[in-house]
Structure formats: structure tokens, C-alpha cells
Amino acid sequence: MIQDHRIPRSSLAEQGVSLKGVKDFLEHIEAQRLELHGFMLIRHGHLVAEGWCKPYRPDVPHAVYSLTKSFTSMAAGFAVQEQLLTVDDVVLSFFPEISGMWLSEHAKNLTIKHLLTMTTGHAMDTTRFGTEGEFLNYRAELRIGDRTDGDAVRGFFELPIEHEPGTYFIYNSGASHVLGLIVERITGMCLADYLETRLFEPLGIPKPRWERTSSGGNTGGWGLWLRTSDIAKFGQFLLNKGVWNGAAIISQTWIEEATSCKVSSITNAGQIGVTGNEDWHQGYGYQFWQCRHETYRADGAFGQYCIVIPNQDAVVAITAGLQDMQAVLDSVWNHLLPAMHHSSPLQNALIKQKLSLGKWELGEKTRLDTAPELGTRRYHLEPNDRGVQEIALSFMDQQWHFEWKDERGTYGLFGGYEEWEQDNLLFGKKVAVKAAWLDNQLLEIYVYELDSPHHDRIRFRLDDQRLMVHYFHLNFTCIEDQFQGSRISD
């Protein structure tokens, strides 16, 4: 049974955190237009600051992508603790169906430890990341190897292992996925079920949504959805070295092994998204990154973070929709970390008043002095890569309606300018939408899935008889396009 294990709350001053440092962090995030969705700061076991950027909410689980890997590491740790597994076990011993002359000696020598430390010997990530779909209906597509039949193990081993295992680090989501498959084989349970009574229930985390594989298990390298508070609890559990509410949940030894530096990650330089980023060059443990300042983290694509700062007895949990992940870590080190060194005893009431994070909001605000012309404008579009054929924009008092047509049919969204409209159902998904007039001819519409870092931004330039559209979608392969059309006479 899930019990309510809320993190106790306290003030910044009582836990020795500078109000100015936290405010500087938040102001820097806003000034740099870094899109945080949720934020929690724990110090000395107490929650001292939290906030969610509208339209995101604390009660809605958020896709955390590769932060999932650190939970897979915990699953492996429980299996080791229950003597079902050792880190020296040979990977192929768990997959007797994978055999033959085509397997290299490197493949035959691969161990659990090599999976944990991303030192399988592959020269590149065995996972294929892509973006599939259509206008306003794009989705991330991930698979292991080049196979399309869902056989992740064969996909993993069919790619050449060019280096001796243990000698070459490359960030490899396929390694995490194969690790998860091994845990599922030896336990007879999917990862979510296996961790439910061992980790989720003790921490008071409702059993989370976790992406399923074609065989019915869970994806080990990505696929979890967690609330910001769940990430914060996980960080505190790690900081406590496996202890929660006085009870040892997993061995301290496993936490220390998993979160310490096992291999250099310098060879990671040159991978997409991490080139030149200091906090990707500090080393790697068992599915955990080492960071500067004697810290470590679990992280996921687009800025999902569980940052553990042992020397300050602190945890930072973040969900986000970022393209620049290093920028947020830089802000943590430049503002939050010093805030724990130089605190000032301010009154709790003043602190709470000044940290009103509920004012955070995504998107721009309308800048018009006068209301836009009411009515409907219809446009026929020139041929474009998005396949959009026609667009209609209708403006009512404080409301708008956006309609588009392609070869699949006609679709629409509606909303306002001040509050987020959350009753739109778009291709079976509930989305939050809002718009803003940036000037008399420039309209932006924002479309967010509240359980995801992915979002869409559509900018319309409405001249007298012409329409220019700039479209952006955040994903592993971002979609950015421009197309135009002419107004249809009434």
C-alpha cells in the first residue's frame, strides 16, 4: 500500500539557504529563456523551494527519458542484493537464443558491469532516435539497433563491438535496455512490477507509467513518467545511501558503487547534445553521471534532472523542455550551490512571499494595445513539407480558433490569451494551448502536452493578403519549417 511520504517542508533560512541565491537562479533561468517545467530544492531533508511553470502542474507525471536508466540501475542493485545477479556475470549467459559464429570475442566477454558503466565496446550508441508523425502530431521514436522487428537483443549484438569491453566509454541507451531485459528475465517480472514493492511503495511513489516493449516488459533506457516530487524523493533516497524513513531499502554499498566514478567519460565528447559540456566529462558510474563540485546526477533528454549534492546535503529535482541542458547545470553551480554556502537569516514569511513561483509561465504575453480584428481569415497554402493545405484563423473577444486541413482531414484548436486552455483533444492527446499577439500582425500559438517535454510553437505573420507560418516542434530531431499562403476571398 502506498503511504503518504511527503518530504517535510521548511524555510530557506532554517535550512541555511540564501534567498538571494535561489532568486538569482530563477531570474537567470527566466532571463536565458531556459524552459523549466518543475523545480524542487531539498536541503537537510527538507523541501525549501518548489515551483511549476504554467501550464505544468505538480500532480502530472512528466516523461523523464534517460533518467529512467538510474531506476534500472536500482533494479539491478536489488537483483544483486537478492543474489540473482552479479556484476561479473556474462551478458550472453542470459540470452541462450543468441549464439553463432557471427558473435565476436568482444561480444562473448561482455559483462553486467560493462552494461552498467556504458563500456560495452560499441563505437556509437546502439539506440536509434528519431521523430515521426505529421504536423502537430509528432512523436519520438526509439529502438535498439537497425532491426524493425522489436528484437532489441539481436539489434544490440548485431552492431559491431569494436573495442574491448571495459576500455571505451560511449553513452549507450541500448546497454541500459539490455540490462533491464536481464533483470526481467531473472525475476520473471517487468521492471515496474519488480520495483513497485522494493522502491516505489517505500518512497511513497505511485506505481509509475513506464513504456512497454513489444514483448510486454519495460524499456530499461527510457520510458518512465515521474512527478517532480518523485524525482526529489529518489534523490533524497540516494543522498541517504539507500535509507528511507530510517529503513534500509537497498544496500549502502550498491548506492556508493552506482553513484561513484567507475570510468572516464571523456570519450563521450563528440556525441550529439554533449559536445564541450563540462558536466558530461566528469566520469560515469552505474547509470549515473558524475558532475563538477563532487556531485552526481541522474538525467534525461530535454532537461530532466535529479542532482545530488552530498557535501551540501542537498537535492535538486527538475523537469524541463530544454535544448541546452548544460546551461541549467551551469546555473545550479553559479547560483544554487553558492546559496548554500552564504545563507542569511531572513523571516520565513518574507521568504515565502518573495518565492512565489506560481507566476512562472511559458510562452509570451500579448503586447497589443488594441484588440485584433474580429472575424475569420482563411488561407490557401503553397505546397509545403508539413502537408498543410489550408489554414483558418478566427478571432472572437478574448478567444481564438485555429483550424488546418491536410490530406488526413480538418483539425482545430481553440483557446485564449490570458489563461491556458486545457480542454483541447488533439489526435487523442490532451493538450494545453494559449496564444499571444506579439504585434498587430504577429500571432504565436503554444501547444503543450503536460506529461511531456515536447511542445509546438506556431508563429503566424498576417499581412493583408498573405500568411507566413513558422513552425517549431521540440524533439530528438527538432522540426522547424516555414511555409506561406494567400488569403481566400470571403
Side-chain angles (χ1 to χ4, degrees):
M1 178 181 294
I2 294 290
Q3 299 181 18
D4 186 7
H5 295 316
R6 295 183 184 178
I7 302 166
R9 283 163 165 74
S10 183
S11 70
L12 290 165
E14 286 172 331
Q15 303 308 322
V17 182
S18 162
L19 168 62
K20 182 181 184 302
V22 178
K23 284 173 64 65
D24 287 347
F25 169 74
L26 298 174
E27 289 172 359
H28 180 263
I29 292 295
E30 184 175 9
Q32 296 298 311
R33 303 177 73 85
L34 298 173
E35 187 172 297
L36 295 199
H37 296 164
F39 162 71
M40 298 181 85
L41 172 62
I42 299 174
R43 183 90 191 284
H44 302 321
H46 291 76
L47 179 62
V48 295
E50 62 180 333
W52 287 266
C53 200
K54 291 181 181 179
Y56 287 87
R57 308 198 310 261
D59 60 312
V60 178
H62 191 287
V64 298
Y65 281 106
S66 287
L67 201 150
T68 302
K69 293 176 171 67
S70 300
F71 284 83
T72 301
S73 172
M74 291 300 108
F78 281 114
V80 169
Q81 183 169 284
E82 294 164 16
Q83 299 183 346
L84 301 173
L85 190 69
T86 77
V87 298
D88 296 319
D89 288 342
V90 174
V91 172
L92 281 172
S93 68
F94 300 97
F95 303 106
E97 72 276 20
I98 305 296
S99 61
M101 297 290 291
W102 59 277
L103 287 167
S104 68
E105 286 302 309
H106 288 340
K108 294 174 183 177
N109 293 332
L110 203 60
T111 68
I112 298 296
K113 188 172 184 178
H114 299 141
L115 298 178
L116 283 163
T117 58
M118 304 281 194
T119 56
T120 62
H122 289 95
M124 62 180 66
D125 192 348
T126 57
T127 307
R128 303 295 181 252
F129 300 87
T131 303
E132 301 291 338
E134 304 81 27
F135 182 67
L136 280 169
N137 188 30
Y138 290 102
R139 60 195 175 276
E141 291 289 337
L142 295 84
R143 72 171 189 269
I144 309 301
D146 298 320
R147 301 178 69 95
T148 58
D149 60 1
D151 191 335
V153 178
R154 286 189 181 275
F156 178 81
F157 279 104
E158 283 176 353
L159 295 177
I161 299 178
E162 299 178 10
H163 305 274
E164 182 181 350
T167 66
Y168 186 82
F169 173 86
I170 200 77
Y171 191 73
N172 187 348
S173 294
S176 311
H177 189 67
V178 171
L179 177 65
L181 290 173
I182 290 171
V183 172
E184 291 185 335
R185 284 206 173 190
I186 61 178
T187 63
M189 305 169 73
C190 69
L191 292 170
D193 289 344
Y194 184 61
L195 288 176
E196 183 175 14
T197 57
R198 291 165 175 81
L199 182 64
F200 297 136
E201 284 187 0
L203 269 60
I205 298 174
K207 186 178 179 180
R209 173 184 169 193
W210 197 327
E211 185 177 328
R212 290 277 187 173
T213 65
S214 58
S215 60
N218 295 124
T219 50
W222 64 88
L224 264 176
W225 277 260
L226 297 169
R227 301 170 301 180
T228 318
S229 59
D230 300 331
I231 298 171
K233 287 178 180 179
F234 184 55
Q236 187 63 44
F237 161 79
L238 295 169
L239 185 60
N240 294 345
K241 297 188 176 182
V243 173
W244 190 261
N245 284 346
I249 306 301
I250 196 170
S251 73
Q252 176 178 329
T253 299
W254 183 260
I255 299 294
E256 291 174 345
E257 288 286 304
T259 62
S260 62
C261 184
K262 295 297 181 186
V263 296
S264 169
S265 59
I266 296 298
T267 53
N268 189 67
Q271 291 193 86
I272 294 174
V274 297
T275 303
N277 293 347
E278 280 299 309
D279 286 291
W280 275 261
H281 300 159
Q282 305 302 312
Y284 200 74
Y286 289 171
Q287 309 284 287
F288 287 89
W289 288 99
Q290 303 298 297
C291 305
R292 289 173 288 171
H293 309 290
E294 301 179 338
T295 67
Y296 62 88
R297 73 184 189 276
D299 76 18
F302 312 108
Q304 323 316 314
Y305 282 119
C306 178
I307 306 168
V308 182
I309 311 174
N311 57 18
Q312 293 299 324
D313 195 24
V315 172
V316 178
I318 290 172
T319 54
L322 298 168
Q323 291 182 277
D324 185 353
M325 291 180 64
Q326 181 65 57
V328 168
L329 288 174
D330 290 343
S331 192
V332 169
W333 309 141
N334 293 336
H335 301 293
L336 287 185
L337 188 59
M340 301 177 213
H341 292 289
H342 309 292
S343 61
S344 57
L346 299 175
Q347 294 181 352
N348 297 347
L350 179 62
I351 291 170
K352 291 179 181 178
Q353 179 183 0
K354 290 191 175 182
L355 279 179
S356 179
L357 305 186
K359 295 180 180 178
W360 276 8
E361 189 163 359
L362 298 175
E364 301 288 344
K365 293 188 180 298
T366 289
R367 305 168 190 167
L368 284 185
D369 296 326
T370 58
E373 176 187 345
L374 303 184
T376 299
R377 311 178 194 185
R378 296 186 180 277
Y379 299 88
H380 177 76
L381 299 184
E382 298 172 3
N384 57 84
D385 291 340
R386 302 306 118 208
V388 183
Q389 299 168 349
E390 292 184 9
I391 280 177
L393 293 164
S394 300
F395 305 109
M396 297 76 74
D397 185 29
Q398 298 303 313
Q399 292 287 317
W400 53 267
H401 183 267
F402 165 43
E403 183 179 280
W404 70 98
K405 177 183 177 182
D406 61 22
E407 63 180 10
R408 299 166 298 163
T410 301
Y411 309 92
L413 292 170
F414 66 92
Y417 305 106
E418 298 298 327
E419 300 296 330
W420 287 88
E421 175 59 62
Q422 301 193 25
D423 289 333
N424 282 275
L425 197 63
L426 185 61
F427 302 106
K429 301 173 292 187
K430 203 167 186 179
V431 295
V433 299
K434 196 180 77 164
W437 284 98
L438 306 185
D439 62 36
N440 288 317
Q441 294 180 315
L442 193 59
L443 175 74
E444 275 194 346
I445 294 177
Y446 312 102
V447 184
Y448 282 83
E449 297 177 52
L450 297 187
D451 65 350
S452 166
H454 307 300
H455 58 262
D456 301 87
R457 183 182 68 243
I458 316 136
R459 175 175 285 191
F460 304 93
R461 169 65 68 180
L462 297 92
D463 293 328
D464 184 32
Q465 295 298 320
R466 297 287 292 171
L467 176 71
M468 295 289 297
V469 182
H470 182 275
Y471 174 66
F472 175 80
H473 170 77
L474 177 70
N475 214 309
F476 287 103
T477 302
C478 291
I479 305 295
E480 190 161 11
D481 200 1
Q482 296 188 66
F483 42 96
Q484 58 187 321
S486 300
R487 190 166 182 175
I488 302 172
S489 300
D490 296 333

mmCIF file of all heavy atoms in Angstrom, residues 106-123:
data_model
loop_
_atom_site.group_PDB
_atom_site.id
_atom_site.type_symbol
_atom_site.label_atom_id
_atom_site.label_comp_id
_atom_site.label_asym_id
_atom_site.label_seq_id
_atom_site.Cartn_x
_atom_site.Cartn_y
_atom_site.Cartn_z
ATOM 1 N N HIS A 106 34.660 -10.061 -28.351
ATOM 2 C CA HIS A 106 34.234 -8.934 -27.515
ATOM 3 C C HIS A 106 32.808 -9.142 -27.017
ATOM 4 O O HIS A 106 32.510 -8.904 -25.839
ATOM 5 C CB HIS A 106 34.324 -7.626 -28.306
ATOM 6 C CG HIS A 106 35.727 -7.166 -28.561
ATOM 7 N ND1 HIS A 106 36.797 -7.592 -27.814
ATOM 8 C CD2 HIS A 106 36.229 -6.279 -29.479
ATOM 9 C CE1 HIS A 106 37.907 -7.006 -28.258
ATOM 10 N NE2 HIS A 106 37.593 -6.210 -29.271
ATOM 11 N N ALA A 107 31.930 -9.587 -27.910
ATOM 12 C CA ALA A 107 30.537 -9.822 -27.521
ATOM 13 C C ALA A 107 30.453 -10.923 -26.460
ATOM 14 O O ALA A 107 29.679 -10.823 -25.498
ATOM 15 C CB ALA A 107 29.707 -10.193 -28.740
ATOM 16 N N LYS A 108 31.260 -11.974 -26.614
ATOM 17 C CA LYS A 108 31.219 -13.095 -25.677
ATOM 18 C C LYS A 108 31.769 -12.719 -24.307
ATOM 19 O O LYS A 108 31.438 -13.361 -23.303
ATOM 20 C CB LYS A 108 32.003 -14.268 -26.253
ATOM 21 C CG LYS A 108 31.380 -14.849 -27.511
ATOM 22 C CD LYS A 108 32.270 -15.919 -28.138
ATOM 23 C CE LYS A 108 31.679 -16.433 -29.438
ATOM 24 N NZ LYS A 108 32.562 -17.431 -30.108
ATOM 25 N N ASN A 109 32.591 -11.668 -24.244
ATOM 26 C CA ASN A 109 33.206 -11.262 -22.974
ATOM 27 C C ASN A 109 32.448 -10.140 -22.257
ATOM 28 O O ASN A 109 32.880 -9.676 -21.203
ATOM 29 C CB ASN A 109 34.648 -10.805 -23.225
ATOM 30 C CG ASN A 109 35.537 -11.954 -23.668
ATOM 31 O OD1 ASN A 109 35.300 -13.112 -23.323
ATOM 32 N ND2 ASN A 109 36.563 -11.646 -24.460
ATOM 33 N N LEU A 110 31.340 -9.739 -22.819
ATOM 34 C CA LEU A 110 30.577 -8.625 -22.249
ATOM 35 C C LEU A 110 29.928 -9.038 -20.926
ATOM 36 O O LEU A 110 29.302 -10.096 -20.833
ATOM 37 C CB LEU A 110 29.496 -8.218 -23.249
ATOM 38 C CG LEU A 110 28.927 -6.808 -23.169
ATOM 39 C CD1 LEU A 110 30.009 -5.770 -23.378
ATOM 40 C CD2 LEU A 110 27.824 -6.655 -24.215
ATOM 41 N N THR A 111 30.083 -8.191 -19.890
ATOM 42 C CA THR A 111 29.525 -8.495 -18.563
ATOM 43 C C THR A 111 28.486 -7.449 -18.150
ATOM 44 O O THR A 111 28.343 -6.398 -18.774
ATOM 45 C CB THR A 111 30.622 -8.536 -17.493
ATOM 46 O OG1 THR A 111 31.147 -7.213 -17.307
ATOM 47 C CG2 THR A 111 31.738 -9.494 -17.869
ATOM 48 N N ILE A 112 27.795 -7.738 -17.055
ATOM 49 C CA ILE A 112 26.810 -6.809 -16.491
ATOM 50 C C ILE A 112 27.473 -5.475 -16.160
ATOM 51 O O ILE A 112 26.891 -4.400 -16.394
ATOM 52 C CB ILE A 112 26.163 -7.408 -15.231
ATOM 53 C CG1 ILE A 112 25.407 -8.706 -15.556
ATOM 54 C CG2 ILE A 112 25.245 -6.398 -14.554
ATOM 55 C CD1 ILE A 112 24.238 -8.524 -16.483
ATOM 56 N N LYS A 113 28.673 -5.522 -15.636
ATOM 57 C CA LYS A 113 29.369 -4.287 -15.281
ATOM 58 C C LYS A 113 29.594 -3.412 -16.501
ATOM 59 O O LYS A 113 29.502 -2.176 -16.425
ATOM 60 C CB LYS A 113 30.707 -4.594 -14.604
ATOM 61 C CG LYS A 113 31.396 -3.366 -14.034
ATOM 62 C CD LYS A 113 32.612 -3.734 -13.216
ATOM 63 C CE LYS A 113 33.225 -2.490 -12.567
ATOM 64 N NZ LYS A 113 34.403 -2.851 -11.716
ATOM 65 N N HIS A 114 29.881 -4.018 -17.639
ATOM 66 C CA HIS A 114 30.074 -3.239 -18.862
ATOM 67 C C HIS A 114 28.785 -2.545 -19.286
ATOM 68 O O HIS A 114 28.810 -1.417 -19.784
ATOM 69 C CB HIS A 114 30.594 -4.136 -19.990
ATOM 70 C CG HIS A 114 31.906 -4.769 -19.691
ATOM 71 N ND1 HIS A 114 32.209 -6.075 -20.040
ATOM 72 C CD2 HIS A 114 33.014 -4.293 -19.042
ATOM 73 C CE1 HIS A 114 33.443 -6.365 -19.655
ATOM 74 N NE2 HIS A 114 33.942 -5.303 -19.039
ATOM 75 N N LEU A 115 27.649 -3.224 -19.094
ATOM 76 C CA LEU A 115 26.364 -2.578 -19.379
ATOM 77 C C LEU A 115 26.132 -1.406 -18.432
ATOM 78 O O LEU A 115 25.702 -0.324 -18.851
ATOM 79 C CB LEU A 115 25.213 -3.585 -19.237
ATOM 80 C CG LEU A 115 25.207 -4.799 -20.163
ATOM 81 C CD1 LEU A 115 24.028 -5.701 -19.834
ATOM 82 C CD2 LEU A 115 25.155 -4.380 -21.634
ATOM 83 N N LEU A 116 26.408 -1.633 -17.153
ATOM 84 C CA LEU A 116 26.173 -0.598 -16.136
ATOM 85 C C LEU A 116 27.011 0.649 -16.391
ATOM 86 O O LEU A 116 26.552 1.770 -16.167
ATOM 87 C CB LEU A 116 26.484 -1.157 -14.754
ATOM 88 C CG LEU A 116 25.439 -2.086 -14.124
ATOM 89 C CD1 LEU A 116 26.053 -2.874 -12.976
ATOM 90 C CD2 LEU A 116 24.226 -1.288 -13.644
ATOM 91 N N THR A 117 28.239 0.456 -16.850
ATOM 92 C CA THR A 117 29.168 1.586 -16.993
ATOM 93 C C THR A 117 29.258 2.119 -18.415
ATOM 94 O O THR A 117 30.089 2.983 -18.696
ATOM 95 C CB THR A 117 30.577 1.171 -16.531
ATOM 96 O OG1 THR A 117 31.004 0.031 -17.307
ATOM 97 C CG2 THR A 117 30.603 0.820 -15.051
ATOM 98 N N MET A 118 28.412 1.630 -19.309
ATOM 99 C CA MET A 118 28.420 2.092 -20.708
ATOM 100 C C MET A 118 29.779 1.856 -21.384
ATOM 101 O O MET A 118 30.251 2.669 -22.180
ATOM 102 C CB MET A 118 28.076 3.582 -20.800
ATOM 103 C CG MET A 118 26.756 3.972 -20.179
ATOM 104 S SD MET A 118 25.388 3.564 -21.265
ATOM 105 C CE MET A 118 24.057 4.496 -20.476
ATOM 106 N N THR A 119 30.418 0.742 -21.047
ATOM 107 C CA THR A 119 31.709 0.410 -21.658
ATOM 108 C C THR A 119 31.600 -0.920 -22.409
ATOM 109 O O THR A 119 32.432 -1.817 -22.260
ATOM 110 C CB THR A 119 32.825 0.331 -20.593
ATOM 111 O OG1 THR A 119 32.450 -0.632 -19.581
ATOM 112 C CG2 THR A 119 33.073 1.679 -19.961
ATOM 113 N N THR A 120 30.547 -1.032 -23.227
ATOM 114 C CA THR A 120 30.314 -2.282 -23.955
ATOM 115 C C THR A 120 31.305 -2.490 -25.085
ATOM 116 O O THR A 120 31.416 -3.597 -25.607
ATOM 117 C CB THR A 120 28.891 -2.278 -24.552
ATOM 118 O OG1 THR A 120 28.778 -1.195 -25.475
ATOM 119 C CG2 THR A 120 27.841 -2.129 -23.455
ATOM 120 N N GLY A 121 31.985 -1.426 -25.491
ATOM 121 C CA GLY A 121 32.923 -1.519 -26.602
ATOM 122 C C GLY A 121 32.356 -1.060 -27.924
ATOM 123 O O GLY A 121 33.081 -1.002 -28.920
ATOM 124 N N HIS A 122 31.065 -0.749 -27.958
ATOM 125 C CA HIS A 122 30.494 -0.180 -29.183
ATOM 126 C C HIS A 122 31.126 1.181 -29.451
ATOM 127 O O HIS A 122 31.441 1.922 -28.520
ATOM 128 C CB HIS A 122 28.986 -0.028 -29.058
ATOM 129 C CG HIS A 122 28.237 -1.328 -29.068
ATOM 130 N ND1 HIS A 122 27.865 -1.989 -27.911
ATOM 131 C CD2 HIS A 122 27.810 -2.098 -30.109
ATOM 132 C CE1 HIS A 122 27.225 -3.101 -28.221
ATOM 133 N NE2 HIS A 122 27.176 -3.199 -29.554
ATOM 134 N N ALA A 123 31.269 1.523 -30.709
ATOM 135 C CA ALA A 123 31.857 2.813 -31.073
ATOM 136 C C ALA A 123 30.828 3.929 -31.061
ATOM 137 O O ALA A 123 31.185 5.107 -31.054
ATOM 138 C CB ALA A 123 32.503 2.724 -32.451
#
